[in-house]
Amino acid sequence: MNSTKYTLFSNKPVKIDENSLIMAIESSCDETACAIVKGGREVISNVVASQIKTHEQYGGVIPEIAAREHLEAINVVIDEAFKQAGVTGNDISAFAGTVGPGLVGCLLVGLNAAKTLALAYDKPFIGINHLNAHLAANFIDTDLKPPFIALLVSGGHTQIIKVKSYSEMEIIGETIDDAVGEAYDKVARLIGLPYPGGPKLDKLAQEGNPNAFKLPEAKVGEYDFSFSGLKTAALRLVKSFTDKNLPLPLNDICASFQECVSSTLYKKVKHALETTGYKQVVLAGGVAANSEIRKKIFSLQDLGYTVFAPAMKYCTDNASMVASAAFFFENTYENIDVEVFSRVK
Ligand code: KG4
Ligand code: ZN
């Protein structure tokens, strides 16, 4: 954790400690969010305006529409976060915002709002990588400290990360094609579920037989993933029913898909724990909300590992995790000139 962060204009040192309030803004995709978090772990206010209703009709996020919706929502969520916390900008020790990866037009709205607040109140600005924010969701309401292994599963990323300290991380494995959330959303779409399909597929899976159909697990590097073959196998399975005009056994297809994904993730994480000797594991990212993935990763507790996963509301995009990352992680962007970026550099 950084103990001192500097303002850009006055350049006076600002002490950030356990009692400091950090306000953060997140707008990387289709949620406009603002939160105030104390000492990196205690959420004082957490406001999220979701655009799901808007994008549902298109079956996915339309970047230009998303950016315009962020513009409309941004001041509302900021005001609401202040109101719920009962504080003003003068009570905030630093302002944080998501820099990337994400949709550029969307990121610009939130990041510029965070920068403006920092300048207006003469407080430090802290730019945050969205993926680090997902990891930091695990600091909320816990006593988690590095080192730990993280399984980051979101709409855009699937990674196994060695978090060695607050300043040093190493990605040891990742997907070579689709991210887990992307595979969920694509398969969900294939079987006719509305966007975002991941949570709906999860729900149907809970009523199905996970062993009804055997779907293939990809053979890739020891900590790496590949989900495009599984997606094609799911497509073939669906076609085997639709070609014969047979009704789709939706629950069983969903459960079998979920079983294949969750057992692959479980095996890879277990292997990473065994080979690195790490004793703690955290689950992070939107897909960390998945019932079966949570269950399997938590079962690592039976083998003596300590397992963390964010509360449901901190799994999908929110700003509390951004504030927490700003408090704990040292690999942040503290230059107010930092530009948004769409992909991991
Ligand atoms: O982390 P996130 O909010 O966005 C990115 O940073 O990418 O994750 C969104 C992804 C979507 O693909 C969504 O379908 C998936 O998380 N997701 C789920 C579940 N809840 C959200 N996937 C499977 N099961 C869930 N319960
Ligand atoms: Zn995210």
Side-chain angles (χ1 to χ4, degrees):
M1 184 203 131
N2 289 349
S3 59
T4 311
K5 295 184 189 264
Y6 294 89
T7 59
L8 183 83
F9 273 0
S10 58
N11 212 27
K12 64 174 187 261
V14 174
K15 194 118 182 89
I16 306 236
D17 61 24
E18 275 62 30
N19 293 315
S20 301
L21 298 180
I22 295 183
M23 174 178 258
I25 295 173
E26 151 65 36
S27 67
S28 64
C29 189
D30 57 349
E31 263 97 27
T32 323
C34 185
I36 298 175
V37 176
K38 184 175 169 185
R41 300 202 190 261
E42 188 189 340
V43 176
I44 308 296
S45 63
N46 182 64
V47 183
V48 183
S50 170
Q51 303 179 5
I52 284 180
K53 280 270 156 297
T54 304
H55 300 295
E56 211 171 41
Q57 55 189 306
Y58 304 106
V61 178
I62 311 289
E64 292 76 12
I65 298 177
R68 284 200 292 275
E69 293 227 348
H70 283 302
L71 267 180
E72 279 175 30
I74 193 78
N75 287 332
V76 180
V77 298
I78 293 169
D79 286 348
E80 188 58 26
F82 276 132
K83 201 167 124 202
Q84 284 183 14
V87 300
T88 72
N90 295 315
D91 304 311
I92 303 294
S93 297
F95 291 90
T98 308
V99 177
L103 301 169
V104 167
C106 298
L107 287 161
L108 276 170
V109 177
L111 189 68
N112 283 318
K115 287 178 176 180
T116 307
L117 283 162
L119 290 174
Y121 288 100
D122 194 23
K123 297 289 167 72
F125 161 78
I126 308 168
I128 296 297
N129 177 307
H130 183 69
L131 305 180
N132 289 351
H134 272 302
L135 299 185
N138 283 283
F139 293 126
I140 298 170
D141 294 334
T142 68
D143 55 2
L144 172 68
K145 291 181 185 68
F148 54 82
I149 290 289
L151 172 64
L152 176 76
V153 276
S154 74
H157 296 85
T158 302
Q159 298 177 334
I160 296 182
I161 307 161
K162 251 168 134 174
V163 180
K164 300 176 186 175
S165 67
Y166 292 116
S167 58
E168 206 188 341
M169 297 181 195
E170 184 192 346
I171 298 167
I172 59 170
E174 59 192 326
T175 181
I176 59 164
D177 41 55
D178 289 354
V180 179
E182 196 180 349
Y184 261 90
D185 293 341
K186 284 180 180 167
V187 170
R189 198 174 175 158
L190 187 71
I191 56 176
L193 302 178
Y195 174 86
K200 296 177 185 88
L201 198 161
D202 181 12
K203 215 160 181 193
L204 291 177
Q206 290 172 43
E207 305 295 320
N209 172 7
N211 302 311
F213 306 105
K214 182 93 191 101
L215 292 166
E217 274 186 39
K219 305 255 175 301
V220 281
E222 62 175 332
Y223 309 118
D224 289 334
F225 304 97
S226 164
F227 295 106
S228 73
L230 171 62
K231 194 183 58 193
T232 312
L235 173 70
R236 268 200 227 105
L237 179 61
V238 169
K239 247 175 105 14
S240 72
F241 288 93
T242 51
D243 281 356
K244 293 183 207 138
N245 280 326
L246 292 170
L248 280 180
L250 272 187
N251 295 99
D252 287 350
I253 292 176
C254 292
S256 302
F257 172 81
Q258 183 137 300
E259 178 58 26
C260 183
V261 173
S262 56
S263 59
T264 302
L265 295 174
Y266 171 83
K267 281 183 219 162
K268 297 271 170 160
V269 169
K270 182 165 170 275
H271 180 60
L273 288 165
E274 285 163 356
T275 50
T276 59
Y278 279 40
K279 295 287 173 240
Q280 301 190 104
V281 56
V282 317
L283 189 55
V287 189
N290 182 270
S291 62
E292 189 57 32
I293 296 171
R294 283 178 95 90
K295 198 163 124 199
K296 285 203 170 61
I297 298 297
F298 270 107
S299 78
L300 287 163
Q301 283 177 333
D302 304 339
L303 304 177
Y305 297 105
T306 308
V307 182
F308 293 84
M312 291 303 196
K313 65 178 167 185
Y314 302 128
C315 287
T316 41
D317 292 347
N318 66 88
S320 294
M321 65 185 193
V322 180
S324 190
F327 184 86
F328 284 107
F329 288 137
E330 287 165 28
N331 48 351
T332 56
Y333 306 88
E334 280 150 53
N335 177 356
I336 202 138
D337 292 334
V338 65
E339 305 262 12
V340 299
F341 62 88
S342 61
R343 297 187 154 272
V344 184
K345 287 183 279 192

